[in-house]
Amino acid sequence: MNPIRLAIVGLGKIARDQHLPAIAATPGIALAAIASRNATLDGVAHFDTLEALLAEAPEIEAVALCTPPQGRRAQAAQALAAGKHVLLEKPPGATVSEIAPLVDAAREAGLTLFATWHSRFAPAVEPARDFLAAHAPRSVEITWKEDVRVWHPGQDWIFEPGGLGVFDPGINALSILTRILPRPLFLTGATLAFPENRAAPIAAELDFTDATGLPIHAVFDFLQTGPQSWDIAIDSAGGRLLLSSGGARLTRDGAVLVDEKEAEYAGIYRHFVDLIGRGACDVDLAPLGHVADAFMLGRRTKAAPFSW
Ligand code: NAP
């Protein structure tokens, strides 16, 4: 069978860092075009916009939307209407409600819509989930601290409404948490620190629980210089689990259970190919729902103005 002909929309940091190598390494899918206003890739057909791509390259079967979240719904709707399978970078959109009509459109057309959560493809996530299914968690502490200037250099969209600010990385922790815990969680309180000159938070502190009263505390910070922290520590009936490096490493009472080079995006593209083959969708809005809850329930504080 011929590989699925894929186009990347929005050739920015994540498309170059992760999507290009993962697509090249995945059987069953091949990069056939780029739609990006400013960026091109040697040897690959280029279109300035998604509209031009859809009009002029009917052979394209699927698109990966690597643009900022604020414009993604409209692009996904256009691509689905044109009969393309759609992969959404995280977060899947700028609001929770905009996604259901996309799922309906995909299902009605027999197309795949895949809302990716790349951190769920980190190697320690499934082992942690299996462990917690057998050993009840007693408390959870999340520390997600990174340097926005390193990971999102000059990306003003991230501090615009819908850009999520520090929840752009924080939602990755929530995507892991919602996968590994045995029960649904819900927010009980939050504090969100907004720079005076920006529309999205630069730091946040959150408390969640579940139906059993499990205490879950999370600290998100976008101004972490030096070593970066992407850790989830879980006290459980079977010992203390520590997922670190964003889910690449797992220890139990200090003993290493998993320590693998991160290969999240290869897993994403294998899953996309499989979903398309099965005519299925994969859209889980739980992480986005928790972030929306934080914006709804969170107390807002002022932080110093932010500049790059
Ligand atoms: P980025 O570097 O800003 O790239 C996004 C690209 O989308 C831009 O280069 C731009 O290319 C295009 N674009 C289209 N409309 C745009 C608009 N209104 N404003 C800005 N750019 C626009 O961002 P990114 O870091 O790749 O992030 C893209 C998505 O991937 C986000 O949802 C982010 O959460 C997710 N992600 C990022 C990372 C990371 O570490 N950076 C990790 C995982 C996931 P043209 O100008 O050529 O059109």
Side-chain angles (χ1 to χ4, degrees), residues 50-113:
L50 174 62
E51 289 80 356
L53 172 97
L54 296 177
E56 296 164 35
E59 70 280 7
I60 297 298
E61 296 160 281
V63 297
L65 301 182
C66 302
T67 45
Q70 292 96 333
R72 213 174 278 140
R73 185 215 65 81
Q75 292 181 325
Q78 271 183 298
L80 290 167
K84 314 300 177 193
H85 305 290
V86 173
L87 180 156
L88 303 171
E89 248 300 351
K90 50 74 28 175
T95 70
V96 181
S97 310
E98 69 192 36
I99 310 299
L102 297 177
V103 176
D104 289 347
R107 294 221 165 105
E108 276 163 28
L111 294 166
T112 289
L113 180 67

Side-chain angles (χ1 to χ4, degrees), residues 17-58:
D17 289 357
Q18 299 290 347
H19 289 255
L20 293 179
I23 294 161
T26 307
I29 197 158
L31 183 67
I34 298 286
S36 211
R37 301 162 308 177
N38 300 295
T40 59
L41 194 63
D42 278 354
V44 180
H46 176 264
F47 302 86
D48 287 338
T49 61
L50 174 62
E51 289 80 356
L53 172 97
L54 296 177
E56 296 164 35

